[in-house]
Amino acid sequence: MRFLRFVVIVAVVLGGLFVGADRWAVGYAEDRLAEKIQSQKGLVGSAEVDIHGFPFLTQALSHELEQVDLKLKDVDAGADGRRTRLSQLDASFHDVKLNGNYTGGSAKRAEGTALISYADLTKASQTGATLTYGGQPGKLKVTATVDVLGRPITRSVISTVALVDGKGGAGGKTVRVHADSVPGEGIPGIESAIRRRTDFDRGIDDGLPAGLKLTALTSDEAGVHLTLTGTDVSLAGS
């Protein structure tokens, strides 16, 4: 009985040491991976990494991770030299294969969401208009000042925000804001002058993890929400 008790105590101690070492190792790996991601182009704010699965050490030795969750704050994405700030980007990477020196890897599949605040969408418009929630999903209220016959007139319109195919046909998507109708619609010169202030397109594929694509969009009081999915998605380079 004494020997059995001794064996149990030793097993508990060794098990505790292993768990402690495993948790230290996963914490260290999460911090290093977050630093790697944060140093990449486009990320202005912070990066948080959460590696799932236990034990971590056996996953690390095989260079394969079950799931890695990534939370990014303030990401500058864009296309054609125009940038759009994503307030937050959350993504889950599944079946991650690490590279030889553990500085990155790729995931068989990934999905996530991103948020563009109305303040950041207003800056991205570069038209001088102000964008707010339009009262229902997929709708925005766009307020702009337009010169009509030499007089400044401020008007608000309800616009639809949607995803459309980007330029080049390579699978990229563009966020499009288009007024449902405008004052003076159909009057030569008036409609085009207003739409130059209210309507715009912004591509944001450049700045997202390679392989992660925009697939859906909606809006609410918090801002414009993007849905992202992808296969063979890069995680902090390879």
Side-chain angles (χ1 to χ4, degrees), residues 3-27:
F3 176 75
L4 182 58
R5 183 181 301 171
F6 173 77
V7 170
V8 171
I9 293 174
V10 170
V12 170
V13 171
L14 291 179
L17 291 175
F18 175 77
V19 171
D22 190 80
R23 294 302 87 192
W24 178 88
V26 72

Side-chain angles (χ1 to χ4, degrees), residues 214-237:
L214 302 176
T215 56
L217 175 153
T218 189
S219 64
D220 61 14
E221 292 86 350
V224 174
H225 299 268
L226 307 172
T227 301
L228 312 111
T229 60
T231 56
D232 298 323
V233 181
S234 175
L235 180 62

Side-chain angles (χ1 to χ4, degrees), residues 114-176:
L115 172 66
I116 308 175
S117 70
Y118 290 116
D120 286 328
L121 193 59
T122 293
K123 293 177 183 177
S125 72
Q126 298 178 335
T127 64
T130 299
L131 286 79
T132 56
Y133 183 48
Q136 58 181 306
K139 297 296 183 179
L140 306 179
K141 181 180 178 181
V142 183
T143 303
T145 300
V146 181
D147 284 334
V148 178
L149 301 177
R151 297 179 58 187
I153 299 176
T154 300
R155 292 290 185 270
S156 294
V157 298
I158 296 299
S159 300
T160 297
V161 56
L163 279 182
V164 298
D165 290 336
K167 296 179 181 179
K173 295 291 184 179
T174 293
V175 176
R176 171 167 292 173

Side-chain angles (χ1 to χ4, degrees), residues 31-223:
D31 290 343
R32 299 292 79 75
L33 189 55
E35 290 176 0
K36 172 71 174 179
I37 294 171
Q38 194 162 2
S39 68
Q40 293 182 342
K41 178 182 178 182
L43 181 58
V44 179
S46 62
E48 296 180 15
V49 174
D50 185 12
I51 299 175
H52 292 254
F54 179 84
F56 165 73
L57 290 173
T58 57
Q59 295 186 80
L61 289 173
S62 66
H63 286 253
E64 295 180 353
L65 303 178
E66 294 178 11
Q67 179 178 330
V68 178
D69 289 345
L70 177 63
K71 184 184 294 291
L72 303 179
K73 299 284 189 181
D74 296 330
V75 180
D76 273 346
D80 301 324
R82 294 176 172 176
R83 313 305 293 176
T84 301
R85 177 69 57 85
L86 307 181
S87 303
Q88 183 169 317
L89 189 155
D90 298 320
S92 293
F93 300 81
H94 304 275
D95 299 323
V96 177
K97 183 68 175 180
L98 298 173
N99 58 20
N101 57 9
Y102 297 96
T103 58
S106 62
K108 287 185 178 180
R109 63 183 178 87
E111 71 276 338
T113 59
L115 172 66
I116 308 175
S117 70
Y118 290 116
D120 286 328
L121 193 59
T122 293
K123 293 177 183 177
S125 72
Q126 298 178 335
T127 64
T130 299
L131 286 79
T132 56
Y133 183 48
Q136 58 181 306
K139 297 296 183 179
L140 306 179
K141 181 180 178 181
V142 183
T143 303
T145 300
V146 181
D147 284 334
V148 178
L149 301 177
R151 297 179 58 187
I153 299 176
T154 300
R155 292 290 185 270
S156 294
V157 298
I158 296 299
S159 300
T160 297
V161 56
L163 279 182
V164 298
D165 290 336
K167 296 179 181 179
K173 295 291 184 179
T174 293
V175 176
R176 171 167 292 173
V177 176
H178 184 80
D180 297 347
S181 63
V182 298
E185 191 166 26
I187 300 176
I190 301 293
E191 179 179 357
S192 60
I194 294 176
R195 288 195 178 277
R196 280 195 295 269
R197 293 287 189 180
T198 61
D199 296 2
F200 62 93
D201 290 354
R202 288 296 177 267
I204 59 175
D205 291 295
D206 180 20
L208 300 177
L212 204 57
K213 302 296 183 182
L214 302 176
T215 56
L217 175 153
T218 189
S219 64
D220 61 14
E221 292 86 350

